[in-house]
Each structure stands twice: as structure tokens, then as C-alpha cells.
Amino acid sequence: QDRILRHLTVGCTRLEFEYEIPYADAEKMLDELAEKPIIEKLRYVIPAGDGLKWEIDEFLGVNQGLVVAEIELPSEETCFIKPAWLGKEVSLDPRFFNSNLVSNPYSTWKK
């Protein structure tokens, strides 16, 4: 069985609902509901201390060249150490939302 992850965004907070679904249902959802092209990326997980972790997404395909780091926190008020390799904050920039990267891929942005 596969897992589906649904994001709901309010400010920097994203609600996530994660649960198992049958493989055939996942295929049907991707075929019929997902906007195309499908976002392609590699994900790397790096421990951040205190039970936290960084999820680093290296985008592929039409979004190749874009790398985004995300840390999941118990709340927006949780303090964490920002590593030296971390770039600018883009949480509230809609260009970086996966839903917008489908229609406005990174490869088309003016650099």
C-alpha cells in the first residue's frame, strides 16, 4: 500500500494528513487528479537535533536546479539552529509551492 500526504497551508503552517491507501487508488489519483507535469524530486533527510530533521528536496525535470530545505517543527514558535548552508526564507513565497511549480516551473523563472 502507498501513503498519501495532503498539505493544507495557513501562513507557514501546513497541516498534513498521512494515511495508507491502496496502490490502485494512488495510481488513479495520480492519473486523474494530479496536475501535470508531476513534480519530480529527490529527498534527503538530515538530523537537526532535538528530534527535528531537515528535509532537503532536490527538484528534477522542469524544476531542475531548485533545492529547497524544510524543517518540520511542533509549532511555528519552536526555536531551532539555522545551519550555515541554509539559504533565504521562502516559506511564504508562493512561487515555491509545489502546486505553483507545476504551472510555473523553476526552469522558466528569470534568474
Side-chain angles (χ1 to χ4, degrees):
Q1 299 211 346
D2 284 333
R3 299 175 74 83
I4 185 167
L5 185 61
R6 175 74 179 134
H7 295 275
L8 299 175
T9 304
V10 177
C12 286
T13 300
R14 287 162 178 75
L15 298 176
E16 297 182 352
F17 300 91
E18 190 172 348
Y19 50 89
E20 292 186 16
I21 61 172
Y23 182 82
D25 291 353
E27 280 189 320
K28 187 171 181 85
M29 293 168 85
L30 286 173
D31 281 346
E32 297 181 20
L33 300 176
E35 292 184 49
K36 307 293 189 287
I38 299 291
I39 298 286
E40 302 172 75
K41 58 187 169 181
L42 298 173
R43 175 164 286 172
Y44 307 93
V45 178
I46 301 172
D50 295 327
L52 302 174
K53 63 183 177 184
W54 286 99
E55 293 179 348
I56 314 299
D57 288 339
E58 176 186 359
F59 288 80
L60 307 171
V62 295
N63 289 297
Q64 187 165 357
L66 178 61
V67 178
V68 175
E70 176 181 309
I71 189 167
E72 293 193 15
L73 303 171
S75 76
E76 287 189 39
E77 292 77 33
T78 301
C79 294
F80 63 96
I81 296 171
K82 294 181 181 177
W85 51 260
L86 192 63
K88 76 175 191 173
E89 172 65 55
V90 298
S91 297
L92 298 177
D93 186 336
R95 294 177 304 160
F96 292 89
F97 297 176
N98 281 338
S99 57
N100 291 333
L101 288 171
V102 171
S103 59
N104 187 21
Y106 182 71
S107 62
T108 65
W109 295 7
K110 292 181 182 176
K111 311 286 189 286

